[in-house]
Amino acid sequence: MAFKYAIYRIVSNEENWSWIRWNEAGDKLLMGSWELLINALNDLGFGATQRTSVMKNFYSYGFKLESDSRSRMLDENGVEWIILQHDHFVLPPSSVDQATSLSFTRAGASNLALARGNVLELYKIDLVLKGTTGNEAAGDDYQYNQNSVGGEEFDLPMIQERSADTTKRPQMHLVGRWSLHGKIMDMIAVRGSKQQGGVENLLLSFAEAKMALVSFDQGTQSIVTESIHYYEHEQLQHKTRNDEVSCALRADTEGRCVAMRIYDDKLAILPLTTGNDEAKPYTDSYVVDMRGEAGVRGVRDCVFLAGYLEPTLAILHEPVAMWPGMLDTTVDSLVVTVVSLDLVRRSVSTLNSVSRLPYDSRTLVAVPDPIGGVLVVGASSITHVANGTVSCISVLNKVAARGIGVAMVDSIDDSNVSLGLVLDPHACACAFVGPRTAALWTQQGYCFLLTMDGDGRLVRRIVAKQVAGSEPGAETHAPVADTWEDVGVAPSCVAELRVSYDDDSGVSLDSLLLFVGGMAGRSILLEVEDRGSSGATGNGDATMEMDADFYGESSAVPASIGNNKETPEDRYRFTVYDELLGTGPTVAMEIGARSPATSGSEENLELITCTGNEWRGRLRVQQRQIQPEIMASFDVPGAPVRGVWTVRCVAEYNIGGVMQSAADSGSLSSLNDRFM
């Protein structure tokens, strides 16, 4: 057995991860015990006795120690870990951990920033004209005409003329890719300074408690670090290490500040400048102890709310820690507290609080106007909270009643209990596609449209309609009939983009795009089409808000979506226009040649991997080099060809390639006269 294959088997065994494993980015090997490594190699048939001989094998296969003091690392138990790296790993990280939209390269640009482990990727969204109609795939149809140039006849491939289609479709184009010194935990867009000309900056968070503000340099076409904010001070730390959730970034809807969760129940607040004379887009940051100033303990999630004069934060927390063994006595232990941040005095004020929420609630989703409030997403229920009250608790399975106390029985909505759905809130992604409709992707890749039905701002029920994926709990994992199978993604994040363009008649159109990042398999860019009558809904919402301002909330005009017989899947349509393929997670793999005749050549080897999970599993074929598909071929008279280029013709045909030979320099002019 080869040494590198033995190391692969050792690292792949989960029982060995306590002393040997990959780092979070997957590009370095961490090893904490020479004795255990030598014993594991000997169990596989090696006769290793000394660490020097093992290191010689590492060096022979291209591994090397990190330079300087980075070659060793101490963990929380004082164990020294050796760090080995390799310059030629097969693939960089392919899963998308975080995504955010912003105008990064220039003012008004539609950019999309993606975090893949320690790799930051930047894309621009372009609207491209497609020359195809219907569901026809884009491509060139060749026809062959007999042509004569210089007295010799040869076949030139001609591209057939297609019917004109001026439909603009979004596409992603890579701008740059940068490898950073650490895994990106979270990222968010912030407003830039006046000197930057209206562009936005990117704020990144890193473990354990660090933030970095980066901008785009047009001169070098690369990123530049504007500032670094460090909160790993000893007086802020508790006895336990930080975790991934504690590095989450949240931005105020009005762009007034950014909050990052750090140790325990502390928040690092970075105020952003709103004037035009400041040289930098932020002021000095500070740390707020939510336990001492607001009495908030056990923070699980937080989100900023819109429509307030000051930055307002909704916090989901658990004042008294519990575990499943306490369900007989305590089932509704969570609280949502809304606090206001005074950036000048650096103080916190509590506005309202809602208690006795289901114990398995994990994340918050801000609800836009006209409803407002937050959605509290749990493993078995989705709860709507607004203005200090619980308006609706939608249960997703029969077990959900175990987590709802007696005080909240009147708010239960059981219209979705037949789904039998169990959510992992941290592995779900949610985005609003309309005033009352949200798209929810679950950890299994199912996609649901959630419609909040009620009168005015009061939500009486949340109707969930599955639009992608197999039936929850089914053994066959076959896709549900009449669903949009192509939007099924195992999500890690979702980012919203607004793209404006003019149609043929000069009318300005606004398109809503969603990028759904995938942890397993592919990530997709889709367009949300609203086929409903938005004008009537908008007028009704405006009237409702005006009446609420004058006469109070109870006198508002009812605006119930239940009166509309149009279902959400009829009103909203998702169309996938672009995707990024992922190579993980890899379940199994094999290496072989494309054909028996080429089995002796390493250049013709292919790597076959099983990727994905459940009904999204698929086979992926990876090759060492590009394998072009020959669409057409023809002979060119004369001496060997010296140059090849493409020409866009102004006539009715496009010539795929024009070649000029050294013997007949007049061939090009003859082709120009004939086709142009």
Side-chain angles (χ1 to χ4, degrees):
M1 179 184 297
F3 176 80
K4 59 181 180 181
Y5 184 65
I7 294 296
Y8 168 75
R9 289 188 58 180
I10 294 173
V11 178
S12 301
N13 188 352
E14 296 185 9
E15 297 179 355
N16 300 329
W17 286 359
S18 60
W19 57 272
I20 186 170
R21 63 178 182 266
W22 297 107
N23 67 338
E24 293 178 342
D27 58 354
K28 296 175 184 177
L29 185 63
L30 309 179
M31 196 272 295
S33 174
W34 283 105
E35 180 181 358
L36 294 177
L37 177 60
I38 292 175
N39 293 337
L41 289 173
N42 292 336
D43 292 341
L44 296 177
F46 290 83
T49 58
Q50 298 179 353
R51 55 187 295 180
T52 55
S53 61
V54 177
M55 282 304 303
K56 286 182 180 179
N57 280 278
F58 275 116
Y59 290 147
S60 64
Y61 283 102
F63 285 90
K64 58 184 180 181
L65 288 172
E66 282 271 14
S67 59
D68 303 329
S69 60
R70 294 177 297 172
S71 60
R72 288 171 174 83
M73 176 185 68
L74 291 177
D75 62 8
E76 63 273 14
N77 299 320
V79 179
E80 183 181 275
W81 289 73
I82 294 177
I83 304 176
L84 294 162
Q85 66 173 355
H86 201 288
D87 295 332
H88 299 92
F89 281 108
V90 177
L91 291 172
S94 62
S95 63
V96 177
D97 300 325
Q98 303 291 337
T100 186
S101 61
L102 72 169
S103 299
F104 196 55
T105 56
R106 58 177 176 82
S110 298
N111 296 127
L112 183 66
L114 306 181
R116 299 171 179 257
N118 67 324
V119 177
L120 176 64
E121 291 184 347
L122 181 65
Y123 292 84
K124 64 176 180 179
I125 308 299
D126 291 333
L127 294 174
V128 181
L129 290 176
K130 290 293 183 179
T132 58
T133 58
N135 296 325
E136 211 171 13
D140 294 335
D141 290 341
Y142 290 90
Q143 64 178 2
Y144 292 91
N145 292 338
Q146 199 74 16
N147 301 283
S148 175
V149 177
E152 298 188 32
E153 293 186 351
F154 58 96
D155 291 335
L156 273 179
M158 307 297 295
I159 302 178
Q160 293 180 350
E161 183 181 11
R162 289 183 178 270
S163 59
D165 185 3
T166 59
T167 303
K168 293 183 178 180
R169 301 178 181 178
Q171 282 188 351
M172 301 172 57
H173 297 276
L174 181 65
V175 176
R177 180 187 290 115
W178 302 275
S179 180
L180 307 182
H181 298 285
K183 181 181 178 180
I184 303 173
M185 309 303 292
D186 202 355
M187 62 182 180
I188 206 165
V190 297
R191 180 179 52 247
S193 61
K194 181 181 179 182
Q195 287 79 357
Q196 294 176 312
V199 300
E200 293 178 308
N201 296 331
L202 191 61
L203 188 63
L204 310 173
S205 68
F206 300 90
E208 290 181 7
K210 296 182 287 290
M211 287 191 296
L213 185 67
V214 299
S215 62
F216 187 78
D217 188 355
Q218 288 286 355
T220 61
Q221 292 290 299
S222 182
I223 57 175
V224 177
T225 302
E226 298 289 343
S227 64
I228 296 177
H229 307 269
Y230 181 85
Y231 305 99
E232 297 176 7
H233 307 295
E234 187 173 349
Q235 62 269 24
L236 297 177
Q237 298 184 20
H238 199 53
K239 294 182 180 180
T240 59
R241 289 171 60 90
N242 209 8
D243 55 10
E244 293 188 12
V245 179
S246 299
C247 295
L249 293 172
R250 298 293 183 265
D252 176 47
T253 56
E254 302 295 332
R256 293 167 289 194
C257 67
V258 174
M260 181 179 72
R261 288 185 56 195
I262 55 175
Y263 303 100
D264 298 327
D265 297 321
K266 299 181 179 67
L267 290 179
I269 307 298
L270 179 65
L272 303 177
T273 57
T274 56
N276 296 326
D277 299 331
E278 289 80 0
K280 57 182 182 180
Y282 61 91
T283 59
D284 294 338
S285 63
Y286 62 95
V287 176
V288 176
D289 187 358
M290 301 304 297
R291 292 186 180 181
E293 298 196 30
V296 174
R297 301 177 62 91
V299 176
R300 291 191 176 184
D301 196 13
C302 59
V303 66
F304 278 95
L305 302 180
Y308 290 85
L309 297 179
E310 291 183 336
T312 302
L313 198 64
I315 304 174
L316 176 66
H317 61 102
E318 189 175 34
V320 179
M322 67 163 295
W323 62 292
M326 300 172 59
L327 287 179
D328 291 336
T329 58
T330 305
V331 295
D332 45 5
S333 59
L334 290 186
V335 179
V336 171
T337 301
V338 179
V339 299
S340 176
L341 303 179
D342 190 335
L343 302 180
V344 178
R345 297 192 178 103
R346 297 187 174 184
S347 61
V348 178
S349 302
T350 301
L351 300 183
N352 57 66
S353 180
V354 179
S355 60
R356 309 184 72 86
L357 297 177
Y359 77 99
D360 58 356
S361 302
R362 293 292 176 182
T363 60
L364 295 178
V365 179
V367 180
D369 288 335
I371 297 178
V374 293
L375 289 179
V376 185
V377 182
S380 302
S381 63
I382 299 177
T383 306
H384 179 255
V385 177
N387 299 325
T389 59
V390 175
S391 59
C392 174
I393 302 178
S394 178
V395 295
L396 304 178
N397 53 57
K398 297 180 180 179
V399 187
R402 293 276 296 174
I404 302 176
V406 179
M408 296 295 176
V409 172
D410 294 337
S411 302
I412 292 179
D413 165 33
D414 59 357
S415 58
N416 300 317
V417 70
S418 60
L419 293 176
L421 191 62
V422 179
L423 300 179
D424 180 2
H426 289 306
C428 295
C430 184
F432 274 84
V433 297
R436 294 177 174 270
T437 306
L440 174 68
W441 281 267
T442 68
Q443 69 273 16
Q444 295 93 355
Y446 310 148
C447 181
F448 291 86
L449 287 181
L450 307 179
T451 302
M452 289 178 284
D453 188 3
D455 298 328
R457 300 179 188 271
L458 180 62
V459 177
R460 299 190 181 278
R461 63 171 183 163
I462 300 176
V463 181
K465 173 63 178 178
Q466 185 174 0
V467 295
S470 60
E471 183 178 354
E475 298 180 357
T476 58
H477 298 292
V480 177
D482 301 326
T483 59
W484 311 329
E485 186 179 354
D486 55 345
V487 303
V489 175
S492 59
C493 57
V494 61
E496 177 183 329
L497 302 92
R498 292 282 181 178
V499 180
S500 300
Y501 62 95
D502 296 334
D503 61 4
D504 297 337
S505 59
V507 178
S508 180
L509 301 177
D510 187 20
S511 178
L512 172 61
L513 305 179
L514 294 180
F515 177 83
V516 185
M519 285 294 294
R522 63 182 190 138
S523 304
I524 59 174
L525 177 69
L526 58 89
E527 181 182 25
V528 180
E529 180 185 359
D530 186 356
R531 300 179 178 181
S533 177
S534 59
T537 304
N539 294 334
D541 293 338
T543 304
M544 177 188 65
E545 293 181 357
M546 184 178 298
D547 290 346
D549 293 337
F550 279 98
Y551 306 108
E553 188 116 7
S554 61
S555 301
V557 176
S560 173
I561 195 173
N563 297 330
N564 189 358
K565 296 181 180 180
E566 187 179 34
T567 60
E569 62 271 22
D570 292 334
R571 174 168 181 174
Y572 297 98
R573 182 65 183 176
F574 294 172
T575 305
V576 178
Y577 283 128
D578 208 344
E579 67 177 0
L580 299 176
L581 298 180
T583 57
T586 300
V587 181
M589 62 181 179
E590 286 293 339
I591 299 177
R594 292 194 303 272
S595 62
T598 60
S599 59
S601 175
E602 293 187 359
E603 297 297 328
N604 294 317
L605 293 179
E606 292 180 340
L607 181 65
I608 314 296
T609 61
C610 299
T611 62
N613 54 1
E614 293 193 6
W615 61 279
R616 294 169 317 283
R618 58 185 66 185
L619 288 176
R620 297 197 182 278
V621 180
Q622 303 176 31
Q623 300 171 337
R624 301 188 62 177
Q625 57 191 3
I626 297 177
Q627 304 293 331
E629 179 182 356
I630 300 177
M631 302 294 297
S633 62
F634 56 92
D635 296 327
V636 177
V641 176
R642 292 185 178 178
V644 180
W645 60 93
T646 60
V647 177
R648 173 67 63 180
C649 299
V650 296
E652 59 185 26
Y653 292 112
N654 294 332
I655 302 180
V658 178
M659 303 182 182
Q660 181 182 7
S661 64
D664 189 1
S665 59
S667 299
L668 178 62
S669 59
S670 300
L671 290 175
N672 290 342
D673 294 339
R674 181 176 182 84
F675 297 107
M676 302 180 65

